[in-house]
Amino acid sequence: MCVQILLKTEPIASVVCTRYELEGAPIVRNFRFVEVKLLYTDSLVHGLINSNMVKKKRVRLIAEMARKIRAYRELKNRPTESQRYALDYETMTRPFTGKTLPVLAWEDVRRESRLFTLLASMRMFGVGRIFTRKSWLEEHIEPCYWKITKVKVDYTAEDMDHGKAWGVMTFKGKQEDKEREVENAMHHDWRLLPKHEEADFTRFEPVPEPPIRYVIYPPLLRAMILAQKGLSTTEEPMLPLRRDILLSKEYFRNQDQERQRQRQAGEGTPV
């Protein structure tokens, strides 16, 4: 009985294919590694049957190094914040992208300031100060502002007026629990709140929400709801006029799945 095996010789670390005869060895096909005893020696060697041999994935070191170099060059050559948001104030276009700002924003661009234009001229880059926006002051009665907690400045910019800022946002008098990155820092409508006005500006007493009003369901829908609840109920179903849910695609998908479960369980409308 003959079995084709792979014999790995240790001294030269090479693979040699040889044909040997085995004494009374059964034919084994469903396993990979097997120990065989040769006729001419008493030493044990490890063989690998050709039919079950798995080809190892070749490590291409040069290709992997080239991939890392390309990724590093892309990271190094990516445009900075000052290059992306640079603005030509005469033509109102951004040189990097070639896009023109909306005409309605031209007046604010000439009169108002960006967030980092204000932060660059302040001590500690404005950490701990309160900033608001012109659009918030015009649209909302409740106080809306950011309290800056951390600033990362782009020191490659000419006036260090670019970078990223983090803070705690208060919108319509409701303060968020965690700090996050300030949004729309490149818009030209940011304003610094003076120190002596911070207490009056941030003081806010929330107006109590009006009570929820209810109306009676339409007759057919009312009959369907009463039929589902049963004849023993005496509570009149009422429809609230305030919507507490977001009518998104996910909401309607969940509603359809709930109806399918009810049909499968045999809980249809008895009307």
Side-chain angles (χ1 to χ4, degrees), residues 99-146:
K99 295 183 179 180
T100 305
L101 295 182
V103 179
L104 297 178
W106 288 7
E107 184 178 355
D108 288 340
V109 169
R110 294 189 177 98
R111 293 185 180 182
E112 303 294 334
S113 302
R114 294 182 293 106
L115 176 61
F116 270 86
T117 304
L118 302 173
L119 293 176
S121 60
M122 299 180 62
R123 179 176 174 269
M124 298 294 295
F125 292 101
V127 174
R129 298 298 300 272
I130 294 177
F131 293 84
T132 186
R133 298 179 61 182
K134 175 188 173 184
S135 56
W136 290 345
L137 297 175
E138 293 177 351
E139 296 175 2
H140 307 293
I141 302 176
E142 302 87 352
C144 304
Y145 56 89
W146 280 92

Side-chain angles (χ1 to χ4, degrees), residues 1-3 19-23 37-39:
M1 183 171 12
C2 298
V3 178
R19 190 178 183 88
Y20 294 102
E21 287 188 4
L22 305 182
E23 292 180 338
K37 190 173 182 179
L38 304 181
L39 291 173

Side-chain angles (χ1 to χ4, degrees), residues 6-17 56:
L6 290 178
L7 176 64
K8 183 175 180 181
T9 58
E10 296 182 357
I12 59 175
S14 62
V15 178
V16 181
C17 291
K56 292 184 178 180

Side-chain angles (χ1 to χ4, degrees), residues 116 119 127-128 147-152 164-167 179 182:
F116 270 86
L119 293 176
V127 174
K147 186 171 183 180
I148 304 299
T149 57
K150 183 174 64 174
V151 177
K152 184 179 180 181
K164 295 182 179 181
W166 289 262
E179 71 172 12
V182 178

Side-chain angles (χ1 to χ4, degrees), residues 66-81:
R67 186 190 65 80
K68 291 182 179 180
I69 292 174
R70 287 194 299 268
Y72 173 74
R73 286 178 178 174
E74 291 179 1
L75 183 64
K76 186 177 180 180
N77 296 331
R78 66 178 181 178
T80 59
E81 295 285 330

Side-chain angles (χ1 to χ4, degrees), residues 104-264:
L104 297 178
W106 288 7
E107 184 178 355
D108 288 340
V109 169
R110 294 189 177 98
R111 293 185 180 182
E112 303 294 334
S113 302
R114 294 182 293 106
L115 176 61
F116 270 86
T117 304
L118 302 173
L119 293 176
S121 60
M122 299 180 62
R123 179 176 174 269
M124 298 294 295
F125 292 101
V127 174
R129 298 298 300 272
I130 294 177
F131 293 84
T132 186
R133 298 179 61 182
K134 175 188 173 184
S135 56
W136 290 345
L137 297 175
E138 293 177 351
E139 296 175 2
H140 307 293
I141 302 176
E142 302 87 352
C144 304
Y145 56 89
W146 280 92
K147 186 171 183 180
I148 304 299
T149 57
K150 183 174 64 174
V151 177
K152 184 179 180 181
V153 184
D154 183 8
Y155 291 100
T156 61
E158 184 177 357
D159 298 325
M160 292 192 299
D161 56 349
H162 292 273
K164 295 182 179 181
W166 289 262
V168 179
M169 183 183 183
T170 300
F171 189 72
K172 291 186 177 182
K174 297 180 180 180
Q175 182 177 347
E176 296 182 355
D177 299 332
K178 299 180 180 179
E179 71 172 12
R180 58 187 178 94
E181 186 178 350
V182 178
E183 300 172 350
N184 302 323
M186 293 301 163
H187 287 194
H188 290 75
D189 64 341
W190 288 91
R191 294 182 180 181
L192 171 65
L193 200 66
K195 274 279 189 181
H196 63 278
E197 296 182 6
E198 288 183 357
D200 295 335
F201 186 80
T202 56
R203 187 184 302 113
F204 173 71
E205 295 181 1
V207 180
E209 297 183 358
I212 305 175
R213 294 187 300 168
Y214 295 87
V215 294
I216 302 176
Y217 277 95
L220 180 59
L221 187 57
R222 174 178 175 274
M224 294 172 62
I225 294 174
L226 291 176
Q228 284 183 345
K229 291 183 177 180
L231 300 177
S232 59
T233 180
T234 57
E235 182 182 357
E236 181 69 22
M238 303 294 289
L239 175 65
L241 296 181
R242 187 178 69 177
R243 187 176 66 189
D244 296 330
I245 57 175
L246 181 63
L247 299 179
S248 59
K249 294 182 179 179
E250 187 67 25
Y251 170 77
F252 291 106
R253 190 180 301 114
N254 294 336
Q255 292 291 321
D256 294 338
Q257 293 176 359
E258 184 65 26
R259 293 193 195 97
Q260 292 178 1
R261 289 196 211 98
Q262 290 182 1
R263 292 194 194 99
Q264 293 175 0

